């Protein structure tokens, strides 16, 4: 935000010093946010009702909507920021009166916030808050689901239940595709894209690990045939060949997603040995 952005917008009472303090405090709170979507003009105090009604600020307050959260900046004895993440928002509403419109934000655990902004962007800001909060909460739910998938995959790999691994990997792949679609539709790639990409990399790493463990399993089977009184050389060769195929696929997956290939290289050495 450039200095002086609020000057001329605060039309009732606040001094130039108060305006400067609001702008400075807001700027400090925006450091972790990637993008500001809406700056709503101040039109009164912020009321927070969480069982007991608290009023913050007088006529020196504003609301800023980012792709991570909703910020209320208020001037009381000192300038403070009320921070409401999109994951905490349960509902939003516009309460239109004769002369003013109140923006009401209900949260899951912290009660309701109300604020009377002015300007022409109120409806658009509310629509964005609803879309962003829905997307954030959807993504958080699916990321938790992916964590559960990952735990099941790791357990199945250890127990060499590769059919189970394949089934869970397919389910996890559908989940990440759904994440991509929802984040793109909400226009929140800059806020959530990296988290989804990290989840996808973890999934691909699990695919690599599965291929490596399957190859090791085939090598163990092939090696055990040498210990028989009548060794099955043809069967052993077939297993070694299938192990190489698994590792070739694992190496291709790792290269495509820029993953470490150390485990694949070790498994290749084992096959050659």
């Amino acid at each position: 935000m450039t200095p002086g952005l609020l000057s001329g917008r605060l039309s009732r009472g606040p001094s130039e010093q108060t305006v400067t303090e609001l702008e400075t405090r807001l700027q400090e709170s925006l450091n972790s946010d990637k993008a500001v979507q809406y700056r709503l003009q101040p039109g009164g105090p912020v009321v927070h009702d969480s069982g007991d009604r608290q009023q913050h600020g007088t006529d020196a307050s504003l609301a800023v909507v980012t792709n991570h959260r909703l910020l209320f900046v208020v001037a009381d004895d000192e300038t403070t920021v009320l921070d409401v993440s999109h994951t905490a928002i349960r509902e939003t509403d516009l309460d239109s009166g004769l002369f003013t419109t109140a923006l009401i934000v209900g949260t899951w655990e912290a009660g309701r916030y109300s604020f009377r902004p002015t300007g022409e962007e109120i409806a658009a800001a509310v629509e964005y808050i609803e879309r962003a909060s829905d997307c954030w909460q959807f993504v958080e739910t699916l990321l938790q689901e992916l964590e559960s998938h990952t735990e099941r995959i790791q357990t199945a790999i250890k127990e060499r239940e590769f059919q189970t691994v394949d089934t869970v990997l397919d389910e996890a792949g559908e989940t990440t595709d759904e994440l991509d679609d929802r984040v793109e539709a909400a226009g929140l790639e800059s806020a959530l894209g990296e988290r989804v990409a990290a989840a996808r990399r973890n999934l691909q790493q699990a695919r690599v690990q599965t291929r490596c463990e399957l190859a090791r399993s085939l090598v163990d089977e092939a090696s055990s045939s040498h210990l028989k009184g009548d060794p099955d050389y043809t069967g052993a060769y077939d297993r070694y060949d299938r192990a190489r195929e698994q590792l070739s696929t694992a190496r291709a997956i790792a290269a495509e997603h820029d993953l470490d290939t150390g485990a694949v290289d070790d498994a290749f050495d084992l096959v050659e040995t």
Side-chain angles (χ1 to χ4, degrees):
M1 177 183 294
T2 58
L5 178 64
L6 301 179
S7 303
R9 292 186 176 186
L10 298 174
S11 58
R12 294 187 298 160
S15 65
E16 182 177 349
Q17 179 181 356
T18 300
V19 173
T20 300
E21 289 174 355
L22 285 170
E23 291 176 342
T24 301
R25 190 69 181 87
L26 174 60
Q27 187 62 44
E28 293 171 352
S29 300
L30 290 176
N31 287 342
S32 63
D33 287 294
K34 298 280 193 308
V36 174
Q37 303 298 320
Y38 295 94
R39 292 180 175 89
L40 300 179
Q41 301 176 25
V46 175
V47 177
H48 181 204
D49 189 352
S50 59
D52 59 330
R53 183 181 175 89
Q54 300 179 14
Q55 181 170 298
H56 301 274
T58 53
D59 58 343
S61 56
L62 67 148
V64 174
V65 183
T66 79
N67 57 359
H68 286 70
R69 55 179 60 84
L70 172 62
L71 300 171
F72 296 107
V73 187
V74 296
D76 289 310
D77 294 335
E78 60 182 18
T79 303
T80 58
V81 176
L82 308 176
D83 186 324
V84 185
S85 69
H86 286 308
T87 55
I89 294 175
R90 180 171 57 87
E91 61 181 353
T92 58
D93 191 19
L94 284 176
D95 183 9
S96 299
L98 183 60
F99 299 106
T100 61
T101 297
L103 168 58
I104 300 172
V105 178
T107 68
W108 292 105
E109 297 180 353
R112 300 199 317 166
Y113 296 84
S114 62
F115 175 81
R116 295 189 180 277
T118 60
E120 300 178 354
E121 294 186 318
I122 303 173
V126 169
E127 189 277 331
Y128 180 85
I129 293 170
E130 291 175 342
R131 184 172 74 250
S133 62
D134 284 348
C135 182
W136 269 89
Q137 292 171 54
F138 180 86
V139 168
E140 291 290 349
T141 298
L142 287 196
L143 286 176
Q144 291 177 10
E145 183 178 312
L146 280 177
E147 289 181 6
S148 177
H149 285 324
T150 300
E151 292 174 359
R152 290 173 61 196
I153 290 169
Q154 294 300 326
T155 298
I157 288 176
K158 289 179 182 178
E159 297 176 358
R160 291 191 170 182
E161 297 177 353
F162 297 112
Q163 186 60 49
T164 299
V165 174
D166 286 342
T167 298
V168 180
L169 281 171
D170 287 342
E171 294 174 359
E174 293 175 359
T175 300
T176 53
D177 289 342
E178 193 171 2
L179 279 168
D180 282 333
D181 292 343
R182 181 63 68 95
V183 170
E184 182 179 357
L188 287 170
E189 294 93 337
S190 62
L192 291 167
E194 181 51 39
R195 293 185 65 188
V196 177
R200 188 176 290 279
R201 284 195 297 272
N202 290 338
L203 177 60
Q204 298 305 326
Q205 185 65 62
R207 292 187 184 277
V208 170
Q209 183 182 359
T210 301
R211 299 281 183 174
C212 289
E213 290 302 318
L214 179 54
R216 291 179 183 278
S217 178
L218 289 167
V219 169
D220 289 345
E221 292 176 9
S223 299
S224 66
S225 71
H226 297 168
L227 304 178
K228 298 178 180 178
D230 183 18
D232 180 10
Y233 293 111
T234 300
Y237 180 84
D238 177 66
R239 287 177 174 82
Y240 285 129
D241 192 49
R242 286 161 56 197
R244 289 192 186 94
E245 291 177 358
Q246 293 293 334
L247 293 173
S248 295
T249 302
R251 179 170 284 170
I253 294 172
E256 180 182 356
H257 298 279
D258 196 26
L259 303 174
D260 180 69
T261 60
V264 182
D265 295 337
D266 291 344
F268 259 120
D269 290 342
L270 178 63
V271 172
E272 294 306 319
T273 299

